[in-house]
């Protein structure tokens, strides 16, 4: 019965994350209106948003089907519990890749946003004039931004399900 509570805990966490991300995608659709983007920038934003929407739909559908399959697991059958454990690990790897893809899509839009609005995040870098000032600035900021998001993604996804995976592992090795 302990495995049932672990699996239920994982399912409730999955349901909460799914709902939060669907809400976030809905709210992202109105971002240009809220921030008053120009028509050109809004067009670029919706181009990136449509790419993000396609990837999100694919990963959310996988996530949803895995969630539905979890309802049919017989917690008394060790083979089902082993299958669930290994599938969960695969789904978490897919979840990480989803976050990596969204990081690159958001970074692409961020670069174009900074370029079109001539945003200078680190003005001291513009004085170095190694390349065109805006290019140095954008390159360093994007590199740091992507690195931080990769670290956060790895940590957040691993941390989110670590306890449940650790609690479930003794049942599959028995």
């Amino acid at each position: 019965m302990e495995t049932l509570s672990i699996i239920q805990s994982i399912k409730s966490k999955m349901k909460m994350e799914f709902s939060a991300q669907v809400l976030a995608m809905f709210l992202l659709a109105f971002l240009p209106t809220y921030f008053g983007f120009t028509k050109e920038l809004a067009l670029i934003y919706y181009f990136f948003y449509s790419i993000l929407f396609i990837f999100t739909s694919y990963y959310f559908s996988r996530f949803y089907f895995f969630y539905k399959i979890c309802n049919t697991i017989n917690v008394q059958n060790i083979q089902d519990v082993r299958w669930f454990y290994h599938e969960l690990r695969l789904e978490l790897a897919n979840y990480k890749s989803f976050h990596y893809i969204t990081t690159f899509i958001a970074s692409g839009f961020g670069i174009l946003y900074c370029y079109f609005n001539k945003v200078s995040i680190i003005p001291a870098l513009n004085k170095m004039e190694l390349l065109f000032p805006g290019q140095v600035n954008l390159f360093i900021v994007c590199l740091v931004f992507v690195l931080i998001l990769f670290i956060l993604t790895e940590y957040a996804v691993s941390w989110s399900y670590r306890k449940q995976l650790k609690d479930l592992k003794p049942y599959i090795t028995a």
Side-chain angles (χ1 to χ4, degrees):
M1 291 308 276
E2 181 68 28
T3 56
L4 180 61
S5 66
I6 296 170
I7 291 173
Q8 291 300 331
S9 170
I10 292 170
K11 284 181 59 181
S12 68
K13 190 174 286 195
M14 288 173 66
K15 186 176 182 178
M16 184 179 67
E17 285 185 23
F18 182 78
S19 301
Q21 289 188 5
V22 168
L23 178 65
M25 283 300 296
F26 178 74
L27 293 176
L28 281 174
F30 299 104
L31 197 71
T33 305
Y34 181 76
F35 285 108
F37 287 2
T38 63
K39 286 184 180 181
E40 295 83 17
L41 196 56
L43 181 65
I44 293 169
Y45 175 81
Y46 283 121
F47 171 74
F48 280 97
Y49 180 79
S50 63
I51 294 170
L52 180 68
F53 187 80
I54 291 168
F55 279 109
T56 301
S57 298
Y58 171 73
Y59 282 99
F60 282 1
S61 65
R62 288 184 55 121
F63 194 70
Y64 178 76
F65 288 128
F66 177 69
Y67 178 82
K68 283 300 187 183
I69 289 173
C70 292
N71 290 330
T72 62
I73 290 177
N74 179 4
V75 294
Q76 304 301 326
N77 186 350
I78 192 68
Q79 295 297 76
D80 284 356
V81 176
R82 283 183 182 146
W83 174 87
F84 176 77
Y85 177 80
H86 293 293
E87 281 297 314
L88 179 62
R89 292 189 59 164
L90 285 173
E91 288 301 319
L92 291 178
N94 284 333
Y95 196 51
K96 286 180 187 178
S97 67
F98 164 69
H99 285 291
Y100 295 147
I101 289 170
T102 57
T103 298
F104 279 118
I105 293 170
S107 298
F109 176 73
I111 290 170
L112 289 175
Y113 180 82
C114 290
Y115 180 76
F116 282 115
N117 290 321
K118 297 177 179 44
V119 173
S120 179
I121 298 173
I122 307 173
L125 291 176
N126 288 337
K127 295 177 183 171
M128 294 171 56
E129 295 184 11
L130 296 173
L131 297 170
F132 294 106
Q135 290 177 342
V136 173
N137 194 359
L138 282 176
F139 177 74
I140 291 174
V141 168
C142 289
L143 186 66
V144 169
F145 178 72
V146 168
L147 183 65
I148 289 170
L149 285 177
F150 273 137
I151 291 169
L152 286 175
T153 297
E154 278 293 323
Y155 181 73
V157 172
S158 298
W159 175 79
S160 182
Y161 290 95
R162 181 183 307 151
K163 182 183 181 312
Q164 286 88 0
L165 284 171
K166 188 177 179 182
D167 291 345
L168 198 58
K169 191 165 185 158
Y171 294 102
I172 66 162
T173 57

